[in-house]
Amino acid sequence: TSGWGTATAGATAMRRGGGVRAHSHNYSGPIGRSTKAFLVAATITLLALITTAATSGKIEELRAGFVDSLAATDFASSQRVVLDGSAPRKDCGVTQEAWTKAAGLERRDPCRDTSVREFDASSAVAKVVKYHGGDAPWALVTGGAGFIGSTVVAQLLKLGFRVRVLDDLSTGAKARLNFAKDAQKDGTFQLIEGDVKTYEDVRRAMSDDVTFVFHLAAMSKVRPTLDVTKEDMVGFCVATNVLGTEHVLRAVRARDAALAQKAKDDGSEPLKVRVVYAGSSTYYGNQPTPFDEERTHLRTTTTPYATTKAQGEDLMRLYYTMYDVQAVVARLFMVYGPGEPTEGEHSAVTGRFFDAASRGRALEIEGDGTQFRDFIHVEDAARGLILASLAPEAPGRTVNIGSGVSVTVRELADMISDKQTFVDARENDLKGTLASTCLAKRMLGFAATHDLEPYVREQKRSM
């Protein structure tokens, strides 16, 4: 299955200013009385029943029923979404730690069995094209020559978008975009060599035609930011991940102003740019899993990369709250797949393991290998980002893009090779990551369609 869905969602995917908005779960504002009453009653009932069920094998049944009831609840409100990424959630008295301990969810996605909302991306794009007077919309992808960014570009072109890439090619490569040569010839694809750290480059890429932005350009891995011998590493992360993000948002705001003026002159309905920020699961730090974006956590980032990526999220929220920029944060988990970096500082554990195995070398396992990760295939990650740009309820929200399945590093190594060696644990490494998929399924109609094990088997056959 492609995972794009087969039925049209009941709301338009066009981004307009003003109007009624869905109310977010991760908020700092008030909620309706009926919703609050339901949550209070459900929480009290859950805590009472957990005590009775703890010795009777009913925990799993209670967990499923409680999660299903939350998923079925309509939290819609006429109030504006107010997103606060660091304050505790105010609509539930059960802490993440208490819920984890009571329901045994430490390495289990609470919505693993929850059905996915049907959402037809192709139909949503068709509506956007119609709104553009029959012309395909332009999407800007910063970092579009990278591993994930190039996959986003490929999927956007297949959906009928025109795509412009802004990339300084410091870690990306033109070769990753070879598939777009025909699109470049017919004028539906452009590559601009530029840097998000330079505002004029961003404005030039935004031009006067972009209505979708996917911001992936970043200092994008933890490992290179841990080199304490590089005195300027924190400054470089701030310049790229924070200042670069502000440049993108400032350019989006300027584009929104131009679109608003055009609508005023034409007497038409105003169109606003939708901007999706590729956030990181490192935002959660060493918190209890699964990571639930709707029950916000204390920020415990411990690396320059994680800290500055989280600050990029803060800017997205600021521009949404103050300037009505249609910003969405999509937190990506551990992305793997064809074309992933296999060596150097920007390689992930899957790429390094495959590279070592293909050369007949032992796989280097950091620490004891019990640290676990939520692995998400690059095709799924790209699809999740695109769905976030189309879902009507997404502006102002933060959503996990993960598989909801955790695998330890040792388990991954065992899938690939018996030839293994252990090295010192990485300083400031995360114990584990695991996405709660509840919001992604409910709001985006997103669920991962690729599994890690079949991919590993396929890669081993080709080695």
Side-chain angles (χ1 to χ4, degrees):
T1 177
S2 68
W4 287 109
T6 57
T8 305
T12 180
M14 291 180 288
R15 290 85 44 230
R16 302 187 178 102
V20 176
R21 295 177 176 230
H23 193 63
S24 172
H25 292 194
N26 38 0
Y27 65 96
S28 58
I31 59 175
R33 289 184 178 180
S34 60
T35 300
K36 183 179 291 185
F38 166 79
L39 287 168
V40 170
T43 300
I44 293 172
T45 302
L46 173 71
L47 292 175
L49 290 176
I50 279 176
T51 304
T52 304
T55 58
S56 62
K58 297 290 186 180
I59 285 289
E60 184 63 18
E61 181 180 340
L62 287 172
R63 180 206 62 76
F66 186 65
V67 169
D68 288 346
S69 66
L70 284 176
T73 303
D74 181 10
F75 290 97
S77 166
S78 60
Q79 302 171 34
R80 176 182 172 82
V81 176
V82 180
L83 201 65
D84 184 347
S86 58
R89 183 179 178 181
K90 297 180 180 178
D91 63 356
C92 183
V94 181
T95 66
Q96 176 79 21
E97 292 79 2
W99 178 249
T100 296
K101 182 177 180 181
L105 292 178
E106 185 174 356
R107 285 186 58 191
R108 304 182 74 179
D109 171 20
C111 289
R112 63 194 180 280
D113 300 321
T114 301
S115 60
V116 181
R117 169 194 178 185
E118 293 183 333
F119 184 84
D120 187 351
S122 297
S123 178
V125 172
K127 290 181 179 180
V128 176
V129 170
K130 182 178 180 181
Y131 190 76
H132 281 72
D135 295 327
W138 273 100
L140 171 63
V141 183
T142 70
F147 168 48
I148 303 172
S150 60
T151 308
V152 173
V153 171
Q155 292 189 12
L156 286 170
L157 288 172
K158 288 180 180 179
L159 282 169
F161 283 83
R162 293 179 287 181
V163 182
R164 183 176 297 126
V165 166
L166 175 66
D167 201 305
D168 66 1
L169 302 179
S170 58
T171 57
K174 289 182 179 180
R176 288 189 179 274
L177 297 169
N178 283 342
F179 61 83
K181 287 182 177 179
D182 289 341
Q184 191 166 21
K185 290 178 182 177
D186 65 25
T188 58
F189 172 80
Q190 298 174 359
L191 170 62
I192 295 178
E193 292 187 38
D195 194 335
V196 293
K197 295 193 296 294
T198 302
Y199 179 66
E200 288 307 315
D201 287 351
V202 179
R203 278 297 303 270
R204 178 163 54 99
M206 187 74 65
S207 188
D208 59 354
D209 49 16
V210 166
T211 50
F212 288 84
V213 176
F214 299 86
H215 180 38
L216 289 89
M219 176 66 219
S220 59
K221 289 293 179 183
V222 171
R223 289 172 67 90
T225 70
L226 295 178
D227 188 346
V228 296
T229 66
K230 297 180 179 179
E231 295 182 359
D232 62 342
M233 182 52 68
V234 172
F236 181 74
C237 288
V238 169
T240 306
N241 297 348
V242 182
L243 183 62
T245 299
E246 195 280 328
H247 286 165
V248 169
L249 288 165
R250 197 193 320 169
V252 168
R253 185 186 176 201
R255 174 76 177 128
D256 279 347
L259 286 167
Q261 185 61 51
K262 182 178 183 299
K264 183 178 180 180
D265 294 341
D266 297 344
S268 59
E269 189 172 3
L271 178 70
K272 296 183 74 68
V273 176
R274 176 75 65 90
V275 54
V276 178
Y277 176 79
S280 171
S281 61
T282 58
Y283 178 95
Y284 297 104
N286 274 311
Q287 301 281 349
T289 56
F291 295 152
D292 180 359
E293 68 277 70
E294 299 189 272
R295 185 179 294 112
T296 49
H297 304 250
L298 293 175
R299 186 178 295 173
T300 59
T301 53
T302 57
T303 67
Y305 165 75
T307 299
T308 53
K309 286 295 290 181
Q311 290 167 341
E313 288 194 17
D314 292 340
L315 288 172
M316 296 288 284
R317 299 182 186 103
L318 175 65
Y319 268 76
Y320 173 81
T321 302
M322 287 194 66
Y323 306 122
D324 198 30
V325 168
Q326 301 297 280
V328 186
V329 174
R331 288 183 187 145
L332 299 179
F333 282 68
M334 182 68 78
V335 182
Y336 71 95
E340 67 179 309
T342 58
E343 56 186 1
E345 293 180 323
H346 290 84
S347 60
V349 63
T350 43
R352 295 197 304 275
F353 278 3
F354 281 123
D355 182 62
S358 67
R359 299 173 186 270
R361 299 173 182 168
L363 312 188
E364 287 193 353
I365 300 174
E366 296 174 337
D368 61 6
T370 58
Q371 63 271 31
F372 56 93
R373 297 291 182 266
D374 184 321
F375 292 92
I376 181 79
H377 193 279
V378 65
E379 294 285 346
D380 285 329
R383 180 168 53 85
L385 291 170
I386 295 172
L387 287 172
S389 77
L390 296 170
E393 305 93 337
R397 307 293 287 269
T398 299
V399 59
N400 290 334
I401 305 297
S403 67
V405 177
S406 67
V407 177
T408 70
V409 172
R410 181 64 183 273
E411 288 168 343
L412 173 64
D414 289 343
M415 293 181 203
I416 298 173
S417 173
D418 293 331
K419 195 173 183 179
Q420 303 170 5
T421 186
F422 292 84
V423 298
D424 291 342
R426 189 196 314 173
E427 188 176 358
N428 295 325
D429 197 10
L430 298 181
K431 173 59 181 174
T433 67
L434 175 62
S436 164
T437 64
C438 300
L439 184 59
K441 288 177 176 177
R442 185 173 66 241
M443 183 174 72
L444 305 184
F446 172 81
T449 59
H450 294 76
D451 294 326
L452 180 62
E453 283 195 59
Y455 172 77
V456 170
R457 289 196 297 268
E458 179 183 341
Q459 293 299 109
K460 287 178 68 175
R461 285 194 296 268
S462 64
M463 284 194 305

